[in-house]
Amino acid sequence: MTSDRSRPPEPGKDSRRAYLIFGIGIFAYFSAVAQRTSFGVASVDAAERFGTAASALSLFSLMQVLVYAALQIPVGVLVDRFGSRAMISAGALLMTAGQVQLALADTVGEGVAGRVLVGAGDAATFVCVMRLIPAWFSALRVPPLTQFMGVVGNLGQLVSVLPFAWLLDLTGWFPSFLGLAALALLAAVLSAAVLRNAPAGVDVLNRELGLRRTGQVLRESLAEPGTRLGFWVHFTTQFAGNTFVLMWGYPYLEYAQGLPDATISLVMTSFVLTNLAVGLVLGGLTARRPERRVRLALTVTACIFAAWAVLLVWPGTAPAAVVLTAVCVIAISMPASMIAFDVTRSFNPARRSGTAMGIVNVGGFTASVLAIFLVGFVLDLLYAAGFRDELYAPDAFRIAVAAQFLIAAGGTAGVLATARRVRRRHGSGAV
């Protein structure tokens, strides 16, 4: 394998314009994260508005994430063909429509339709912004900028935790979701006006991608064990944070730990700030020691589920400081998942990078779909069986959350198996 870190920078890369493009891309992702995580903050209000049980309520986030995951490979193919500018702009418009639909929704079906549109637009954002980075920056800058994009973009969660939550409490359902729609529309306008796929004179598009060629590129990406390793790293690292922030974090903190709203806001804000602090460190480690990427991802996963174990075995409700510390550890899930994309980029050429990253991004969101559904399913099952008189009883939450350990175990097995294949093909120092 030829190290992409040894290649000289190409003309137009690392320029002021490159950083402007990067900044607009980050804003588009920032907006997408705000749209993605907003329902987790509104889940208690949604239960009252739509009159739903836990499994039905999880359907909102479940369908959003399912659509996101299902579209990752098609989006990867489309961005290789049409470029990031068109895809990011279209995705922001879809999210605008989805939030307007949810603002107007009066039934579960109407609300789910809105989240499906949000999921589809979100799907067209992350991979497409990721594709801009190697097009506009030299190889050594790509890993830290990838982490920087992830953690700064994830600050979009603060929009949900602070102004959106405040607006929801102050003005109600319709104005708050309409405000999010306005943010998505701004991202669409800026992306269409400013973004460019690559520096002038550089063509990064695969214009020959018809149906036959698409199938070939997809097969090539899947045949590369580095792509499959990226998939399993993403599957294993990301879902714990996603499940927490997209759906079950707020209900867990409120009902299982009995925290007041002000403390929950502090905990969720700390979740986001941890993303920022840890992500910058992980980006540097990944760039300097690429041969330890898999070990780093598995270490993070072990720490995350050790933190969950502390909360689950703690008798009664844990002290607020313990909850805060555990949630900050769980938050490392999000920046750690970015390691998967650096792994994948190392083993795939630029012409199929979008397709490969799309495959990888399916991993974490597939695991998230499983985890979101599993927690809701177990809660409903325990309630129906008469385990406790309350749907969100603390003891029921312990069992439901513990079900995530099964997904982590399966993902870890996948990482270990594919890492061996990568080392056989590319050498022991590859990962």
Side-chain angles (χ1 to χ4, degrees):
M1 179 184 66
T2 301
S3 173
D4 55 9
R5 292 170 172 80
S6 64
R7 298 170 187 164
E10 299 174 26
K13 290 191 172 185
D14 305 331
S15 62
R16 290 184 180 179
R17 188 174 189 187
Y19 282 99
L20 174 62
I21 298 289
F22 182 58
I24 297 299
I26 286 179
F27 177 74
Y29 182 52
F30 174 93
S31 170
V33 171
Q35 318 303 325
R36 180 194 304 169
T37 57
S38 58
F39 191 81
V41 175
S43 58
V44 174
D45 295 77
E48 297 175 358
R49 181 180 180 90
F50 300 110
T52 59
S55 57
L57 185 63
S58 69
L59 187 64
F60 284 81
S61 292
L62 184 67
M63 289 304 298
Q64 172 193 340
V65 177
L66 187 61
V67 168
Y68 182 102
L71 289 179
Q72 284 309 293
I73 294 175
V75 163
V77 172
L78 289 171
V79 73
D80 283 344
R81 174 65 181 84
F82 297 105
S84 296
R85 179 189 183 191
M87 296 298 295
I88 294 170
S89 302
L93 289 175
L94 280 174
M95 285 184 279
T96 302
Q99 296 292 40
V100 171
Q101 167 70 17
L102 187 59
L104 296 170
D106 292 318
T107 66
V108 170
E110 292 172 350
V112 169
R115 294 314 284 176
V116 165
L117 288 172
V118 170
D122 189 12
T125 306
F126 176 76
V127 166
C128 302
V129 175
M130 285 280 291
R131 201 182 193 279
L132 289 171
I133 298 175
W136 281 95
F137 293 95
S138 53
L140 274 175
R141 296 177 188 262
V142 170
L145 287 177
T146 297
Q147 284 287 353
F148 185 79
M149 186 273 287
V151 296
V152 175
N154 277 329
L155 289 176
Q157 294 172 46
L158 288 179
V159 174
S160 299
V161 171
L162 298 175
F164 174 73
W166 174 79
L167 195 62
L168 184 65
D169 184 61
L170 183 68
T171 66
W173 186 272
F174 178 79
S176 53
F177 277 100
L178 208 60
L180 286 174
L183 180 65
L185 184 60
L186 176 60
V189 171
L190 290 175
S191 298
V194 179
L195 291 184
R196 296 297 181 269
N197 298 321
V202 177
D203 188 2
V204 295
L205 302 184
N206 194 340
R207 303 180 189 279
E208 299 177 357
L209 274 181
L211 286 177
R212 180 178 298 180
R213 179 59 182 154
T214 295
Q216 180 182 345
V217 170
L218 184 58
R219 287 191 298 272
E220 290 173 353
S221 298
L222 288 170
E224 169 55 60
T227 303
R228 300 197 300 275
L229 177 59
F231 173 94
W232 284 112
V233 169
H234 202 250
F235 181 103
T236 307
T237 53
Q238 193 201 43
F239 80 90
N242 250 358
T243 303
F244 191 86
V245 76
L246 291 179
M247 186 68 219
W248 293 116
Y250 260 77
Y252 174 81
L253 295 174
E254 181 175 352
Y255 292 101
Q257 293 296 342
L259 297 180
D261 289 344
T263 305
I264 293 175
S265 293
L266 173 63
V267 170
M268 297 302 287
T269 300
S270 300
F271 181 102
V272 179
L273 295 179
T274 300
N275 284 345
L276 177 62
V278 174
L280 297 177
V281 174
L282 288 180
L285 290 175
T286 302
R288 290 194 301 270
R289 303 300 298 268
E291 75 281 0
R292 296 192 176 181
R293 292 174 292 193
V294 170
R295 189 180 306 174
L296 181 60
L298 292 178
T299 300
V300 168
T301 301
C303 291
I304 288 167
F305 284 91
W308 263 127
V310 170
L311 291 180
L312 296 180
V313 302
W314 198 283
T317 57
V322 173
V323 175
L324 177 63
T325 302
V327 169
C328 287
V329 175
I330 295 167
I332 303 174
S333 164
M334 310 300 279
S337 70
M338 303 296 285
I339 296 171
F341 297 100
D342 190 59
V343 169
T344 304
R345 189 186 57 80
S346 297
F347 300 103
N348 286 276
R351 63 182 176 82
R352 66 171 191 245
S353 64
T355 302
M357 285 191 291
I359 293 170
V360 170
N361 211 24
V362 170
F365 286 91
T366 299
S368 299
V369 166
L370 294 174
I372 288 170
F373 172 77
L374 192 58
V375 172
F377 176 76
V378 172
L379 284 172
D380 277 348
L381 190 65
L382 293 172
Y383 181 67
F387 178 74
R388 290 291 184 270
D389 293 334
E390 298 177 3
L391 177 62
Y392 293 148
D395 288 347
F397 251 123
R398 291 178 194 271
I399 299 172
V401 168
Q404 294 181 91
F405 282 71
L406 298 174
I407 300 173
T412 299
V415 170
L416 294 174
T418 50
R420 285 194 295 269
R421 295 188 181 97
V422 169
R423 292 186 183 109
R424 282 199 297 267
R425 175 177 291 192
H426 298 288
S428 59
V431 292

